[in-house]
Amino acid sequence: MRKEQNKSAKILKPRPFNVKKIREDFPILKQTINGKPLVYLDNAATSQKPQFVIDAMNHYYMEENSNIHRGVHYLSELATQSYEAARVKIQKHINAKHLEEVIFTRGTTEAINLVAHSFGRFQVKEGDEIIISAMEHHSNIVPWQLLRDEKGIVLRIIPINDRGELFIDKYEKMLNERTKIVSIVHVSNVLGTINPIKQMIEIAHKNGVPVLIDGAQGVPHMKIDVQDLDCDFYAFSGHKMYGPTGVGVYINQIRFDDAIHHEHNLLNYAQETLSSIKGLRIIGTAAQKSSVLSFVLKNIHPHDIGPILDDDGIALRTGHHCAQPVMKCFEVPATARASFAMYNIKEEVDALVKGIHRVIKVFS
Ligand code: PMP
C-alpha cells in the first residue's frame, strides 16, 4: 500500500458549538492521569457518559428496577415504561418506520450474530454467496464465516484501494443470482472511511439482495435515516454513543448537526497536524472520513506508542482493532488509533502531537 495523505479534506466554517459546556457534562473528563489532564481519544471503542446518563442509570436502580414485560406490579410497569420509552427515542433517532423494527441487543456484535443465525441461516443454501468487505470489523466477519462453514456458502470480499475506499465497480460485478446477503460497515473503525452505503444498498436491492449495515461507528457521528437508506438491517451499539452498555440514546439533547460539524473540523485539524510529523503515516485517507485517525510511526511498533502516550494522560488504542484484514491490506501489524467524540478539543490534538514527538524521541 502506498502512503497517501488526505488532501481533499476541508475545514468547514466554524459554527457555535459550546464544547466547553459539553465537556462539563462528562465528569470523567475532569480527571488527571499520571498528573496530566485526561485526553480521551478511544471513543471508537466506547464513549464516555454524561452526568444525565449516569443519573438516569442511578435513578433506574434506585427507584424503578424491576423485571420488564413480566410482572404486573407497580415497579415492573414503571421499568417496562422506561424501557419502551427508550425504544421510541431510538425509533425517532434513526427514523425507523415501525417501533417493532427497533430490537434491543447488547450491541453490534450480538445484533449481527442474531441476523446471521436467524434470517441469514434461512436465506442461504450450499453454493450461495454473501458479500462483505475487506474493511470489516471481526463482528461482521466471524458470524458469516460460521455460516459459511455450516452451510457451505462462499464469502466474497469487496477490495479496498490505497486510500481505504471500497471499489464500488468491483462490488457491483460481484452481485449475481447466488448472492443472498450483503453485509457492510458504514464507517470503518480503523480507517474512518464513510462508505457510500445508500448507493450500495440500491445496487444490492436492484439485484433483490437484502443488506445489513454495521453502523457501530456510523450512528454516533452522523444522522441516520434508515428509511432513506432503505437498509434491511442496521446494527449499532448504545455504549459508543454516550449511552450505557445495553440500551440508550440520549444524544438528542444537543444539536447533533453542530456536534458532527465540530467533530469533522477536529478530525481535519488532527489529520493536518499529524501528517506534518516526519515518519508518521496515516492509515486511511478516504475523501469521506469520520472521527477516526489511524497512524503508524516509522520503525516504532504501535504497541510501544500507547504506553508512552499513557504517561502523558493520553488514552488511545493500539492494535489491530478487531479488523485484521485491514492490517493485511495496508501491510502493517497494527496501528495507533485516535478516535474523536463531540467533547474532544483542539488542545487534545495538540497534546497528542506533543506526545507523538516524545515517542519518536524515546526511540531515536
Ligand atoms: N463493528 C464496528 C465497526 C466496531 O467499531 C465495533 C466496536 N469496535 C463493533 C462492530 C463491535 O461493537 P460491540 O463491541 O459494541 O458489539
Side-chain angles (χ1 to χ4, degrees), residues 44 107-110 137 139 185 187 189 214 216-217 237 239-240:
T108 308
T109 309
E110 189 179 0
H137 186 281
S139 294
V185 72
V187 176
N189 66 313
D214 170 353
Q217 304 296 340
S237 305
H239 73 97
K240 293 184 197 289

Side-chain angles (χ1 to χ4, degrees), residues 303-349:
H303 284 157
D304 291 328
I305 299 173
I308 297 173
L309 291 178
D310 182 53
D311 286 344
D312 293 337
I314 301 168
L316 52 62
R317 183 61 65 95
T318 57
H320 55 58
H321 317 294
C322 299
Q324 279 167 302
V326 182
M327 302 298 128
K328 239 182 173 174
C329 287
F330 284 85
E331 293 169 351
V332 291
T335 74
R337 180 189 71 183
S339 52
F340 303 101
M342 65 172 87
Y343 44 66
N344 288 122
I345 48 178
K346 272 184 166 182
E347 288 81 352
E348 291 178 310
V349 174

Side-chain angles (χ1 to χ4, degrees), residues 248-363:
V249 180
Y250 301 98
I251 210 165
N252 289 328
Q253 297 212 2
I254 45 113
R255 280 177 52 187
F256 198 40
D257 275 349
D258 293 346
I260 294 168
H261 185 90
H262 170 75
E263 284 184 15
H264 176 90
N265 282 346
L266 198 64
L267 176 71
N268 287 338
Y269 176 70
Q271 293 205 135
E272 265 181 37
T273 41
L274 262 73
S275 58
S276 66
I277 298 173
K278 211 168 152 239
L280 184 145
R281 174 188 173 201
I282 292 178
I283 304 290
T285 52
Q288 300 297 324
K289 273 192 74 167
S290 168
S291 296
V292 171
L293 209 177
S294 273
F295 62 92
V296 290
L297 293 175
K298 200 172 173 195
N299 299 330
I300 303 173
H301 194 284
H303 284 157
D304 291 328
I305 299 173
I308 297 173
L309 291 178
D310 182 53
D311 286 344
D312 293 337
I314 301 168
L316 52 62
R317 183 61 65 95
T318 57
H320 55 58
H321 317 294
C322 299
Q324 279 167 302
V326 182
M327 302 298 128
K328 239 182 173 174
C329 287
F330 284 85
E331 293 169 351
V332 291
T335 74
R337 180 189 71 183
S339 52
F340 303 101
M342 65 172 87
Y343 44 66
N344 288 122
I345 48 178
K346 272 184 166 182
E347 288 81 352
E348 291 178 310
V349 174
D350 297 338
L352 174 64
V353 170
K354 211 170 143 197
I356 294 171
H357 281 298
R358 204 166 75 79
V359 174
I360 294 170
K361 211 167 156 197
V362 168
F363 284 93

